[in-house]
Amino acid sequence: MDTASRSGAARARKVVWVTGGGSGTGRAVALAAAAAGWDVAVSGRRAAALEETAAAAAERGAAAMALPLDVQDGSAVAAARTAVVERFGRLDALVLAAGLNTPRRRWDDQEMAVFRDVVATNLTGPASVVDAALPDLRASGGVVVVISSYSGWTLSPGAGVAYSATKTALGSLVRTLNDQEGRHGVRACHLCPGDIATDFLDQRPEVPDAAARASMLTADDVARTVQFVLDSPPHVRVDELVVSPVRR
Ligand SMILES: NC(=O)c1ccc[n+]([C@@H]2O[C@H](COP(=O)([O-])OP(=O)(O)OC[C@H]3O[C@@H](n4cnc5c(N)ncnc54)[C@H](OP(=O)(O)O)[C@@H]3O)[C@@H](O)[C@H]2O)c1
């Protein structure tokens, strides 16, 4: 444990690092956490979007920092983890919301270069962040919320080959983490939301209209669920949650 971590031992406010924090679900998660008394770090590729989220979190009383990065870049992820611990002295939670899909998502139209991109973002990305932060999670008895998908829970025919495969694999990532790291107090949740009305839908082959989006989950609905997991007592693990819009 480094000096910053030791100095953080007396720090009362918990710290969550959110990937995909510049938009949609990740942004809503960061703001809900800020409102609940957490400090936040947000990561994604668009620096301006992250700064906007950090400013909005600060308005809700949080200490907040924007850490632009591509989750596919393991060195950048490791450097961001160092920056979080240097700034806050502790890290209590990860919410891994950075994700990617593609309009060409069927076996008969997909491109393998894009398949690899989806795997690198949706599967290797979350693994890299957990790998970098594991010492901090052990120190804090931390919690990891992996924003997976309904397609990671059961077959969703429209979700896509690469997307469904990566989201399903996140269930294994969570289970191995819980199996191996539970003895160190680390807890992880495989969170599987159905349709959420965010910009992510623009990646569909047929983009839903406003009427379709009106019956979907909102980013705030998912953030509320995430906050429930974040605020669960240290001896409680929420292994998996499936959250769906009632009307589909
Ligand atoms: N919308 C849905 O219907 C739905 C349903 C179930 C699950 N999900 C999951 O929810 C998560 C959040 O999506 P959302 O719906 O909130 O849509 P969103 O607003 O588009 O969020 C996706 C986020 O991922 C970030 N991101 C993408 N590639 C990245 C990369 N290589 N490195 C770092 N950040 C990256 C994006 O930021 P930058 O572009 O700035 O990098 C963006 O903030 C995703 O994992 C998605 O699979 C969505």
Side-chain angles (χ1 to χ4, degrees), residues 20 23 25 45-46 70-71 97-99 148 163 167 193-194 196 198 200:
S23 65
T25 308
R45 293 166 300 180
R46 290 168 293 164
D70 188 326
V71 294
S148 180
Y163 186 82
K167 294 297 188 178
I196 315 167
T198 67
F200 205 78

Side-chain angles (χ1 to χ4, degrees), residues 16 70 138:
V16 57
D70 188 326
R138 283 187 174 190

